Amino acid sequence: MIVTNIEIVPGRQVVKHLGMVQGNTVRSKHVGRDLMAGFKNIFGGELVGYTELLTESREEAVDRMKQQAEAIGANAILNVRFSTSSVAAGAAELFAYGTAVVLE
């Protein structure tokens, strides 16, 4: 499965457009990580726990998007985009979406 944020794949032609596909996940870190993040906010530095959270979330959202694309017969997802939003205190949604296509 080709997954790219560009609208075309050089050397390949879109032979079928299957529509938008998406995947999302809502995640939170445990209280201990939130406390450590609070200390980092005071002293500065990377919030490693949250970086890990977003990395895991992005991977899960992309996997779900790929599963949806495969289920409708796509072999590529073009123009992939990501969106994040806070849904509750300490919890965030990561949403991945793109256009499912069949490439020759």
Side-chain angles (χ1 to χ4, degrees):
M1 173 75 61
I2 296 171
V3 178
T4 182
N5 65 337
I6 60 177
E7 295 177 11
I8 61 167
V9 175
R12 306 286 294 269
Q13 185 170 347
V14 174
V15 294
K16 191 171 186 182
H17 177 271
L18 300 171
M20 188 177 85
V21 288
Q22 68 264 333
N24 73 318
T25 185
V26 177
R27 296 225 178 163
S28 67
K29 280 291 184 189
H30 59 76
V31 173
R33 291 280 186 159
D34 281 343
L35 289 173
M36 295 307 292
F39 289 127
K40 281 284 188 175
N41 279 335
I42 295 170
F43 299 109
E46 181 181 7
L47 302 175
V48 176
Y50 288 106
T51 300
E52 292 170 356
L53 171 73
L54 287 174
T55 298
E56 293 165 3
S57 297
R58 186 172 43 255
E59 290 171 359
E60 186 169 1
V62 168
D63 285 345
R64 290 177 177 176
M65 179 180 63
K66 287 166 63 176
Q67 289 172 8
Q68 188 179 55
E70 288 170 357
I72 61 173
N75 65 0
I77 306 170
L78 307 180
N79 207 28
V80 172
R81 301 289 185 254
F82 295 94
S83 176
T84 60
S85 61
S86 178
V87 295
E93 176 190 37
L94 197 134
F95 183 67
Y97 59 97
T99 304
V101 298
V102 175
L103 298 176
E104 65 175 16

